[in-house]
Amino acid sequence: MSANMDVVGTPAMHEVLSRYRLITCPARHYLRSDTPKFNNENCNICWLGGIEDISKLSELSSDFVGLDVANGYTIKFVDAVKRLREKCPNATVVAGNVATADMTQELVLAGADIVKVGLGPGSVCTTRIKTGIGYPQLSAVIECADAAHGLSGHIIADGGCANSGDIVKAFAGGADFVMIGGMLAGHDECDSSVENGKMSYYGMASKSAMEKHNHNNEYRGAEGKTVEVEYRGPVEDTIKDILSGVRSACTYVGADKLKALSKCTTFVRVNRTHNTIYGDR
Ligand code: 5GP
């Protein structure tokens, strides 16, 4: 699924991703805009908003909605998930972000069907540098998937994938969905322009995002950055590349479907000596 970020959560991205039955999470400003830009009839779309968007989310005709905050570890957030569940009894509800088993359980018990997992792994995230807060993403995925599956819930591994191999590892760790931002940046379908063969991609807590959305201009510390990525043309080729990587991984391990990937794989701890000799091979 595409991240709900300004640059990649666009209607043009949705057009292409839905052809491959991939899910688009529209950038939040589309949820708040009065003119609908996305075709809600199309099921491959998941609307995510903040606590203040609960009414808006429940008014949508979408059956795939959720609450997405930087820190899912607050009572206020858990209460908000309960409220969204009450308002949308039949919808598939997403909630995050968290990175540990206990909080995954708490969100599932509060009514979330899918928990979004990731604290600090994003390619344009500076939370770990700014605050020292974070959790190694593969460990978070393994831990949270276990907790969610035990309660018949699901998880989204959100952030930190730089190539199709990383997406495979997320599925292998137990993720049911993988959310990507940076891998979709730099394409024609992005909300960004090409300059000197590069396109910019910025975090939703970066200065760029704040300048775009923070209308009353009050100062807020940034926990995201802006990067210039290589312009890569249409996103369709990248999608085909990702899908072929995932399919190939399934054949390597003998998984007949994506769901079987985690049962057919195992992780091997690589020690420092191995790393020194072989790099990350
Ligand atoms: P990527 O695929 O680029 O590695 O990660 C995308 C994810 O990074 C998003 O889905 C979101 O969870 C996270 N993210 C997006 N913008 C920001 C930001 O400004 N700060 C932080 N800490 N995380 C961000």
Side-chain angles (χ1 to χ4, degrees):
M1 50 200 333
S2 83
N4 53 328
M5 297 169 72
D6 285 358
V7 176
V8 298
T10 66
M13 191 65 77
H14 176 230
E15 278 286 316
V16 185
L17 294 194
S18 59
R19 269 186 247 148
Y20 291 84
R21 295 196 295 152
L22 302 176
I23 295 158
T24 303
C25 300
R28 203 173 286 185
H29 65 91
Y30 291 109
L31 176 67
R32 292 173 181 170
S33 124
D34 291 327
T35 18
K37 300 259 182 352
F38 286 79
N39 176 8
N40 247 339
E41 302 303 310
N42 189 325
C43 58
N44 298 310
I45 192 160
C46 169
W47 289 96
L48 297 174
I51 295 176
E52 64 279 26
D53 296 311
I54 291 181
S55 305
K56 192 98 195 186
L57 287 164
S58 57
E59 283 159 16
L60 293 170
S61 58
S62 176
D63 54 7
F64 199 179
V65 294
L67 295 177
D68 159 63
V69 297
N71 171 15
Y73 287 78
T74 64
I75 293 167
K76 192 175 161 196
F77 181 64
V78 177
D79 288 343
V81 174
K82 287 181 188 161
R83 252 182 296 141
L84 182 65
R85 167 48 75 209
E86 275 165 24
K87 281 183 173 267
C88 308
N90 301 317
T92 298
V93 169
V94 177
N97 278 26
V98 299
T100 49
D102 53 350
M103 207 58 207
T104 300
Q105 277 170 357
E106 181 135 3
L107 291 179
V108 173
L109 295 174
D113 299 291
I114 307 175
V115 176
K116 199 147 86 70
V117 174
L119 280 189
S123 59
V124 283
C125 165
T126 57
T127 298
R128 287 177 186 175
I129 299 159
K130 188 85 194 279
T131 68
I133 303 297
Y135 205 99
Q137 182 65 350
L138 182 61
S139 305
V141 167
I142 293 170
E143 195 178 307
C144 297
D146 228 36
H149 295 163
L151 294 170
S152 304
H154 294 85
I155 69 151
I156 300 170
D158 174 22
C161 290
N163 47 52
S164 54
D166 289 339
I167 295 177
V168 169
K169 287 170 198 164
F171 283 127
D176 305 282
F177 302 84
V178 182
M179 180 172 275
I180 53 175
M183 285 184 72
L184 297 175
H187 294 99
D188 293 335
E189 292 75 8
C190 292
D191 188 357
S192 179
S193 48
V194 188
E195 269 171 49
N196 303 322
K198 305 248 180 202
M199 278 176 118
S200 67
Y201 170 56
Y202 57 85
M204 294 311 295
S206 67
K207 207 164 164 241
S208 306
M210 281 183 231
E211 279 166 5
K212 193 167 170 190
H213 302 295
N214 185 13
H215 302 302
N216 51 8
N217 273 338
E218 78 211 35
Y219 179 81
R220 288 180 61 192
E223 279 183 34
K225 61 182 177 184
T226 303
V227 294
E228 298 299 316
V229 298
E230 218 63 57
Y231 168 62
R232 294 186 279 163
V235 78
E236 189 147 17
D237 293 347
T238 300
I239 290 168
K240 285 181 181 161
D241 225 40
I242 293 173
L243 293 178
S244 80
V246 174
R247 282 196 197 101
S248 180
C250 287
T251 63
Y252 271 109
V253 302
D256 61 349
K257 49 182 183 293
L258 208 45
K259 203 176 169 186
L261 198 55
S262 67
K263 297 200 172 52
C264 299
T265 45
T266 184
F267 289 94
V268 180
R269 190 173 200 160
V270 178
N271 66 25
R272 194 182 283 266
T273 319
H274 180 106
N275 245 343
T276 316
I277 301 169
Y278 297 109
D280 60 3
R281 269 183 288 162

